Amino acid sequence: MRLIFLGPPGVGKGTQAALLSEQYQIPHIATGDILRAAMANKTPVGLEAKSYIDAGKLVPDDVIINIVRERLKESDTKSGYILDGFPRTIKQAEALAKTLEQSGEKIDRVLYFELAEEELVKRIAGRRSCPACQKIYHTIFNPPPQEGICTCGTALIQRKDDRPETVKERLTVYRTETAPLIQYYKEQGLLSQIDADSRVDEVTRRVQDAVFQKSS
Ligand code: AMP
């Protein structure tokens, strides 16, 4: 099962992808997580990506396409994966299609998560992440058992790009660069729309319905 999770920042894609990844035992490939790990390790890619990420801009297509191509060569992707945060431009989607075509594979379903912008801003403002295991919390909707601390014991942080000034730019970038993918995948008959304006468990149920419909 090869899935793409598409939607604006803060919609809950990462939370849902982590849950589904565990249920189906397929890797959750989040390009944002890969880039943040590269930044933390100060690799050449991480150093290049930092200025884009901190400004709420997209990392250049070539950089991200190479990262995903390499990741998809790893053996754990053989029975499928969830792509979260990729593709984010039409150019990335076309590069992915080409890579898959070369190996005779295809995307099974694209889940498009939808939520009003004022709700997105609220969700992002309360989002806290674990810099060690990448687990995501929300101060109100999904708090950790111990305030400010991940279940793995690490202190939670607010991502620099989750601060209000940067969020505005990320939403603009989403509307101009990423939203055209909705039509792109709709035309290919791959899109399932998920109303993300509910509790985590209810959205999970909708995700499972969309994926199950496809696989049954
Ligand atoms: P995310 O964790 O998905 O919100 O991604 C955080 C940041 O990483 C984005 O705002 C971009 O700067 C960068 N990024 C992640 N995925 C991509 C992508 N597919 N294309 C370009 N930039 C990306």
Side-chain angles (χ1 to χ4, degrees):
M1 178 76 63
R2 293 180 203 89
L3 301 169
I4 292 174
F5 278 19
L6 176 66
V11 77
K13 305 183 296 290
T15 300
Q16 295 299 334
L19 291 168
L20 202 71
S21 151
E22 208 178 310
Q23 188 190 351
Y24 280 83
Q25 290 294 301
I26 50 176
H28 169 198
I29 302 176
T31 43
D33 287 349
I34 295 174
L35 291 170
R36 279 184 289 277
M39 266 164 48
N41 293 325
K42 297 194 165 56
T43 68
V45 164
L47 294 173
E48 185 183 356
K50 186 173 174 11
S51 58
Y52 296 98
I53 294 179
D54 286 351
K57 309 257 185 228
L58 293 185
V59 169
D61 284 330
D62 298 349
V63 173
I64 204 81
I65 288 166
N66 274 332
I67 290 176
V68 174
R69 276 205 185 120
E70 289 306 310
R71 180 65 184 88
L72 295 185
K73 284 181 192 161
E74 290 178 31
S75 58
D76 65 338
T77 62
K78 289 287 163 276
S79 54
Y81 43 80
I82 305 169
L83 288 176
D84 165 14
F86 181 93
R88 253 178 162 100
T89 63
I90 295 283
K91 196 172 162 204
Q92 292 177 18
E94 287 171 352
L96 174 66
K98 203 168 150 201
T99 302
L100 291 174
E101 199 184 311
Q102 281 163 359
S103 49
E105 295 168 346
K106 61 178 184 54
I107 291 296
D108 294 293
R109 204 81 206 139
V110 178
L111 270 58
Y112 161 49
F113 294 78
E114 212 191 11
L115 188 63
E117 199 159 308
E118 55 178 76
E119 197 57 37
L120 293 172
V121 171
K122 265 193 242 165
R123 286 193 185 178
I124 295 175
R127 175 157 65 184
R128 298 291 179 272
S129 350
C130 175
C133 74
Q134 318 290 345
K135 204 165 169 190
I136 309 162
Y137 298 90
H138 190 281
T139 48
I140 298 162
F141 308 131
N142 182 25
Q146 191 187 346
E147 196 184 328
I149 309 286
C150 181
T151 47
C152 80
T154 309
L156 297 173
I157 54 156
Q158 180 177 38
R159 278 166 46 181
K160 205 170 166 188
D161 62 340
D162 275 353
R163 294 177 193 163
E165 337 54 281
T166 318
V167 167
K168 218 170 144 224
E169 175 64 15
R170 287 166 66 202
L171 289 170
T172 303
V173 167
Y174 171 77
R175 279 193 298 271
T176 53
E177 308 262 1
T178 308
L181 290 174
I182 299 165
Q183 188 60 25
Y184 176 87
Y185 285 119
K186 200 183 257 177
E187 281 168 10
Q188 296 179 25
L190 288 175
L191 202 80
S192 290
Q193 192 157 326
I194 306 283
D195 174 4
D197 192 10
S198 294
R199 288 168 28 162
V200 172
D201 54 353
E202 175 58 23
V203 178
T204 302
R205 201 188 52 73
R206 292 173 192 160
V207 167
Q208 284 166 344
D209 280 355
V211 174
F212 181 71
Q213 260 171 29
K214 175 65 196 173
S215 56
S216 62

